[in-house]
Amino acid sequence: MNPSKNRRPALLTILVLSGVLSITGIVYAFVNEAISLALEAATPYVEQGFEVREDNWSGEVEPGKPLLIRHQLFRGNEYWFWAGTSWPGATIKVDIFDNEGNSVGLESFAKDSFAGVRTLPQKTATYFIRVVASYDKKAEGLTSAERGANDPVEGVGEFSGSLDWGLVYGYR
Amino acid sequence: MSCRLQSPFLRLLAFLVFTVGATPSGRAQGEAEPAVPERIDLTNFPGELVDKVVVPIPAEIFAVLDKLDEPDWNSGIELPAEGEQGRDRAILALIFGSLVGEGFIAVQAKNSDEIQKIGRRVLAISESLGLAGAVRPHSLAIIESAGKNDWSKVRDELDATQQTVRTTMESLRDDELSGLVSLGGWLRGTNVVTTFISNSFSEDKAELLNQPGLVAHFRTMLGSMKGSSGKSPQIRAISTGLARLEAIITQSEAIAEEDVNQLRDISRAMLDEYYFIKP
């Protein structure tokens, strides 16, 4: 079974609705979709007792350019970091490293627009979270929607050269 | 924090994505592990270092302290007497952050009465800041959830209150004030944690205070403050206090009992500048 085929209806829905909203001038400027998607990835873990923070990181980045985020962690807590990107067809990965650059992720997943990594800090210190958002505009086997609507109408849905990204975290 | 999307439209989209594209509960185990380098060179990172610092809420440290000991959280609550707060918005922002920090202590103590008082005080100070409209729903939720002993919800709302105020300040180009809210909460949390660790010292607990990156961040933030607020006696005293905290925290990896006592006294003196003001 091809997972990308399963996502096509949802992604098409996203694209069509986004396009309609843009055209009609309805702007959700106050909504950060990448953060919303990262929070959706966090939802199952809230039921496991993780407290998800309101504060977060977000922005735009060139595809493939790694981002490094510093963050204070406390030994004795367990942490999940969840990342998201809302651009159709884009993927995102998230890893975590200690202050010497050693990978300290114990478990992770990366599923298209979502990714997550879990860690149990061995000491209280500053850690580094690496986020990489990628997008292959010419990827074969994807629908035009998944490629990012490569047939734009007056600029709507055209890939601008940067991807949105968002990162949230939870602890328990 | 309640994991909620900010509009019905996004909820619909997220639902579609998840129901069609993924099985959330099985993702971590079921999906292929992405290739992760075992080590990266932080001194020569081929990308972009994100400037933004997310300051941990006191509850993150309190959660660890609860795993290591059984602190008497009720003894840590110390809501200052109500009085004239002045008009300096920088000081009001610090007080707001410290009141939220007080709320986290009261939640840990599961003290409904104190949380409700704090909820009302948070609303009062937000009125002085001209942000009551944004804070009122959270403040009411804090009071209501405390009445129901729903501690997790109270914690979520305290975090949300702080975040709402900070976001509103940033949208009004008051980034300096937003940072001061975080500093106020961190300082109140640090003071109560150092007090508990002083009372019952262990190296494991003292390690919680190893936060040189955060202290450096706050020092930089105060150092870059513009306008008259940055030159006020209180802000200068807090700046000096941060320098003293930094000197203790960064001198060695292991924080000794005497160091903890000093951190407690310095953080208390900093709070005395604007929060525990003697009438």
Side-chain angles (χ1 to χ4, degrees), chain A:
Chain A
M1 190 164 65
N2 182 353
S4 69
K5 281 187 179 172
N6 289 337
R7 296 186 65 229
R8 281 176 191 167
L11 291 167
L12 279 170
T13 306
I14 291 171
L15 186 73
V16 169
L17 286 174
S18 301
V20 168
L21 290 171
S22 300
I23 290 165
T24 55
I26 300 171
V27 180
Y28 284 84
F30 57 95
V31 173
N32 185 323
E33 291 189 39
I35 289 294
S36 296
L37 291 166
L39 288 172
E40 277 302 299
T43 303
Y45 302 92
V46 173
E47 291 162 14
Q48 296 173 23
F50 281 89
E51 298 264 356
V52 181
R53 286 291 315 280
E54 288 278 348
D55 208 353
N56 52 56
W57 301 265
S58 65
E60 292 194 343
V61 65
E62 294 166 33
K65 184 178 185 179
L67 296 163
L68 202 58
I69 295 149
R70 287 170 294 197
H71 190 54
Q72 171 78 42
L73 300 184
F74 300 94
R75 182 165 69 93
N77 279 340
E78 179 182 7
Y79 295 88
W80 263 104
F81 289 84
W82 300 278
T85 178
S86 73
W87 188 260
T91 60
I92 197 157
K93 289 195 303 182
V94 57
D95 318 310
I96 184 161
F97 302 88
D98 65 16
N99 56 12
E100 292 174 347
N102 301 305
S103 174
V104 292
L106 297 175
E107 181 182 7
S108 64
F109 67 85
K111 171 70 179 170
D112 303 330
S113 304
F114 312 94
V117 64
R118 179 176 72 89
T119 191
L120 271 168
Q122 294 304 298
K123 61 180 183 178
T124 294
T126 302
Y127 288 74
F128 293 84
I129 301 103
R130 190 183 67 157
V131 174
V132 185
S134 303
Y135 174 62
D136 182 1
K137 196 173 179 182
K138 294 175 182 170
E140 291 181 9
L142 296 178
T143 65
S144 59
E146 287 166 331
R147 283 195 304 270
N150 286 329
D151 304 317
V153 178
E154 294 178 1
V156 175
E158 189 171 10
F159 182 61
S160 65
S162 63
L163 298 169
D164 65 340
W165 64 275
L167 181 73
V168 301
Y169 78 99
Y171 68 94
R172 70 173 180 185

Side-chain angles (χ1 to χ4, degrees), chain B residues 225-258:
Chain B
M225 275 183 75
K226 298 181 181 78
S228 57
S229 288
K231 297 181 181 70
S232 74
Q234 292 102 324
I235 295 293
R236 287 169 70 174
I238 291 165
S239 203
T240 303
L242 284 170
R244 294 176 66 200
L245 294 179
E246 189 173 47
I248 295 167
I249 289 172
T250 55
Q251 68 184 0
S252 64
E253 275 210 8
I255 297 173
E257 188 169 3
E258 180 53 34

Side-chain angles (χ1 to χ4, degrees), chain B residues 94-273:
Chain B
L94 280 166
I95 295 171
F96 184 92
S98 294
L99 275 174
V100 171
E102 200 75 47
F104 282 116
I105 302 168
V107 173
Q108 221 67 19
K110 299 183 177 176
N111 189 325
S112 178
D113 290 345
E114 289 297 318
I115 294 167
Q116 291 185 340
K117 278 186 210 166
I118 292 163
R120 284 187 280 272
R121 293 281 288 279
V122 162
L123 184 56
I125 203 92
S126 71
E127 280 171 5
S128 302
L129 280 163
L131 301 171
V135 169
R136 186 170 285 109
H138 297 301
S139 182
L140 295 176
I142 289 168
I143 293 166
E144 185 184 336
S145 304
K148 294 176 182 170
N149 294 348
D150 186 348
W151 312 119
S152 177
K153 174 75 172 164
V154 176
R155 241 189 312 264
D156 288 350
E157 288 295 340
L158 284 167
D159 192 10
T161 303
Q162 181 173 281
Q163 187 60 18
T164 296
V165 164
R166 293 187 57 231
T167 306
T168 308
M169 287 172 167
E170 284 161 17
S171 70
L172 298 169
R173 301 187 184 279
D174 261 342
D175 291 35
E176 286 178 358
L177 292 187
S178 166
L180 290 172
V181 170
S182 297
L183 172 56
W186 177 84
L187 200 48
R188 183 66 188 101
T190 299
N191 180 242
V192 80
V193 166
T194 50
T195 302
F196 283 132
I197 300 174
S198 288
N199 293 343
S200 170
F201 179 82
S202 80
E203 286 183 2
D204 280 347
K205 284 187 262 182
E207 192 195 328
L208 286 169
L209 303 168
N210 184 28
Q211 305 169 35
L214 287 177
V215 179
H217 161 70
F218 288 130
R219 285 197 70 195
T220 304
M221 185 188 85
L222 291 190
S224 62
M225 275 183 75
K226 298 181 181 78
S228 57
S229 288
K231 297 181 181 70
S232 74
Q234 292 102 324
I235 295 293
R236 287 169 70 174
I238 291 165
S239 203
T240 303
L242 284 170
R244 294 176 66 200
L245 294 179
E246 189 173 47
I248 295 167
I249 289 172
T250 55
Q251 68 184 0
S252 64
E253 275 210 8
I255 297 173
E257 188 169 3
E258 180 53 34
D259 296 333
V260 175
N261 294 339
Q262 284 191 54
L263 293 171
R264 176 200 60 201
D265 295 343
I266 295 166
S267 57
R268 177 69 193 205
M270 292 161 77
L271 286 162
D272 283 344
E273 292 289 334

